[in-house]
Amino acid sequence: MIGFALEWPQVAGLGSVSYFIYLWHIFVVMLLHKVPLLHQHAVAAIPLVFGTALAVSALAALAPRRLAPPRFAQWIG
């Protein structure tokens, strides 16, 4: 909210993306939980699942801003 109030689009965008990641990362984690290979290597799976969930969620959050019309990107924040 500070980013919007002070008209700092970078801070507002960072807040919006981080909230999107918070909301949607769990679906990536649940999908990866179904991969049997990750159960065999639990220690290696932790950073892999973390990195994959972060990357997929961040790309999903940034895609509409890059691919959608400017009016839609403005509407979603």
Side-chain angles (χ1 to χ4, degrees), residues 4 15-16 19 28 30 38-39 41 45 47 53 67:
F4 288 118
S16 178
Y19 187 62
V28 178
M30 289 189 313
L38 294 176
H39 295 283
H41 307 286
L67 303 174

Side-chain angles (χ1 to χ4, degrees), residues 40-57:
Q40 296 172 1
H41 307 286
V43 175
I46 293 170
L48 180 69
V49 169
F50 175 80
T52 304
L54 178 62
V56 169
S57 299

Side-chain angles (χ1 to χ4, degrees), residues 22-33:
Y22 165 73
L23 289 176
W24 292 98
H25 80 282
I26 192 64
F27 298 109
V28 178
V29 172
M30 289 189 313
L31 284 173
L32 290 173
H33 183 68

